[in-house]
Amino acid sequence: PTSSPTSSPTSSPTSSPTSPVCTDLTAGGLQWYDSQGPQFDCRWYGDEDNCRGKDCCEKYGDLFSNNGFTANMACCECRGGSTASLNQPVQQGKQMKQGNN
């Protein structure tokens, strides 16, 4: 606030807050998939038709680890993945490298 009214409007904020964005984890630029093979990726876990109408993340999400990560850790659909605001770099590469050690 100012001590007295101004004759012109003040400038608007230059940027607005951004919502966190979830990104599925990757390994070496490749999409994560479970230890059973590339067909079992985050997209597969997100499709309930693959689990007879049940939540695939709930049913299998903690099984079949690959590169140190399960679907529940690697996939946004399974409440995993990596989140960062649109103004910040996503840290997924660093997380996957830890799993490869």
Side-chain angles (χ1 to χ4, degrees), residues 16-23 82-91:
S16 60
T18 57
S19 299
V21 174
C22 187
T23 304
S82 178
T83 57
S85 85
L86 293 174
N87 295 334
Q88 297 173 336
V90 175
Q91 296 296 315

Side-chain angles (χ1 to χ4, degrees), residues 17-59:
T18 57
S19 299
V21 174
C22 187
T23 304
D24 294 332
L25 300 184
T26 59
L30 300 174
Q31 187 176 31
W32 176 89
Y33 55 86
D34 75 19
S35 62
Q36 299 300 300
Q39 70 271 27
F40 299 106
D41 60 9
C42 292
R43 187 177 305 157
W44 185 90
Y45 277 89
D47 186 347
E48 289 185 3
D49 290 339
N50 293 323
C51 295
R52 297 188 176 114
K54 296 183 180 179
D55 183 349
C56 295
C57 297
E58 186 176 319
K59 190 170 183 178

Side-chain angles (χ1 to χ4, degrees), residues 1-10:
T2 60
S3 58
S4 61
T6 60
S7 60
S8 60
T10 58

